[in-house]
Amino acid sequence: GQEVGVTGMQMVRAFSVFANGGLLVMPTIEAIDPRDPIRTPVSSRIIRADVAEHTREVLRRVVTEGTGRKADSSLYPLFGKTGTAQVPDLKHGGYLENQYVSSFVAGAPTDHPRLVVGCFIHRPDKSIGHYGGIVAAPAVQAVVEQSLMYLGVPVDANAKPEDIAAATQRLVYGDAGDDAITAADVAE
């Protein structure tokens, strides 16, 4: 991949089509007044709802079997896509050697998505790792788990009690625990 022509926000917005049943929603930032009626976001149909659902199922496999395994959560089923793009050399043309933008964009829960999160790491330390699935996916997993817990979304019925307890601790205390990237992660 090449890091040209698309911003992180554009990637998240496009990916959100899968979470929104095929609808492309115009992102907005609003101060919500609880006394005002709920507003429906402006949207347009981009793909059929069944196509969006099938795509989520395929993107779920990226997390369970593919390059996004570091984002796999025992609490919520995520669907996502990794990215590792070269950074363009704006001075001389082409691309900078060993310079990357590592990314991971995911939605959750897969069956009834509530949110989409993107993480874009510009020029990660290659000695630690530079693939999106290594450096960006764990951050997305943490944000998704904590956000869904905060929103009161029930965890997966098969979630282990110790995983729920650890996630609750991270939510309450902000403890990264064992989620930090290690040398073993880079070797994978």
Side-chain angles (χ1 to χ4, degrees):
Q2 313 303 333
E3 193 267 333
V4 176
V6 181
T7 67
M9 182 61 144
Q10 289 169 325
M11 287 181 70
V12 169
R13 181 176 181 224
F15 192 89
S16 294
V17 167
F18 307 125
N20 291 324
L23 296 173
L24 180 66
V25 178
M26 177 62 71
T28 59
I29 298 174
E30 296 181 9
I32 305 277
D33 182 343
R35 298 167 295 196
D36 281 351
I38 297 174
R39 292 175 241 205
T40 305
V42 176
S43 62
S44 357
R45 169 117 357 243
I46 301 299
I47 57 175
R48 294 189 327 257
D50 64 310
V51 173
E53 182 179 358
H54 178 72
T55 304
R56 286 196 311 269
E57 292 167 7
V58 171
L59 293 169
R60 172 75 182 130
R61 292 181 64 192
V62 170
V63 176
T64 59
E65 305 169 26
T67 55
R69 289 188 307 267
K70 294 265 182 219
D72 200 11
S73 168
S74 62
L75 303 180
Y76 299 100
L78 279 74
F79 60 99
K81 181 68 182 89
T82 62
T84 306
Q86 292 176 292
V87 175
D89 184 340
L90 301 176
K91 216 179 229 186
H92 304 101
Y95 297 91
L96 298 172
E97 189 174 328
N98 295 316
Q99 299 292 313
Y100 302 94
V101 174
S102 305
S103 63
F104 188 71
V105 180
T110 302
D111 290 339
H112 301 288
R114 292 287 306 273
L115 55 81
V116 171
V117 174
C119 178
F120 305 88
I121 300 176
H122 190 72
R123 297 182 177 179
D125 182 343
K126 194 171 178 201
S127 69
I128 297 172
H130 69 284
Y131 294 114
I134 297 294
V135 298
V140 169
Q141 178 208 42
V143 170
V144 166
E145 285 181 350
Q146 291 182 27
S147 298
L148 291 176
M149 288 184 80
Y150 175 81
L151 293 170
V153 176
V155 298
D156 188 272
N158 298 318
K160 297 176 186 171
E162 60 269 21
D163 293 342
I164 297 169
T168 302
Q169 179 178 344
R170 286 191 301 272
L171 179 64
V172 173
Y173 299 108
D175 180 10
D178 294 331
D179 292 339
I181 296 172
T182 65
D185 294 328
V186 177
E188 288 183 6

